[in-house]
Amino acid sequence: MGMIWEGLLALACALGLALAGWWLMGLLVRPLPGHEARVLLPVRGEGERLEQQLRGFLWLRGMGLLRCPVMIIDVGLTPRGRELALRLAGRWPEVVLWPAEDLPDYLARL
């Protein structure tokens, strides 16, 4: 009978350790807070990979792993690239297009 109690106690300890590990792992991979962080995507040229990068970040937002806004930073877009960036920013409200020269003023207001 004592062996059964020891087995149950060992099982309870193992479950307690697993619960503590699960909780600590949850603290490590907790989603980023909403307004303290920003995702900055510097884009130049025609923005060849811009839509793929945005979809990746928006997928993370959809999964609840990322809560911060995504900013497309224009560091030399061509007219065609700027048109693409404007279209993508218009498609998703959490995406903003921002010129690189105005970025210091924006960051100073945070």
Side-chain angles (χ1 to χ4, degrees), residues 11-88:
L11 180 64
C13 289
L15 288 175
L17 283 174
L19 178 66
W22 183 267
W23 179 72
L24 288 172
M25 187 61 154
L27 288 177
L28 288 175
V29 296
R30 180 173 294 169
L32 287 173
H35 299 289
E36 292 83 14
R38 301 280 189 268
V39 173
L40 303 177
L41 289 174
V43 184
R44 53 177 54 93
E46 293 190 5
E48 294 84 14
R49 296 185 313 253
L50 177 60
E51 186 168 2
Q52 180 183 7
Q53 290 173 334
L54 280 176
R55 286 186 183 274
F57 283 114
L58 293 172
W59 179 77
L60 289 174
R61 284 180 60 90
M63 296 291 292
L65 297 174
L66 185 70
R67 295 184 191 155
C68 59
V70 179
M71 298 178 67
I72 302 170
I73 306 300
D74 180 357
V75 291
L77 285 170
T78 62
R80 185 175 173 190
R82 184 159 177 75
E83 179 184 328
L84 172 68
L86 283 170
R87 189 167 29 94
L88 293 173

Side-chain angles (χ1 to χ4, degrees), residues 84-103:
L84 172 68
L86 283 170
R87 189 167 29 94
L88 293 173
R91 184 184 303 172
W92 295 297
E94 56 271 356
V95 176
V96 177
L97 176 61
W98 204 267
E101 56 271 1
D102 294 341
L103 191 58

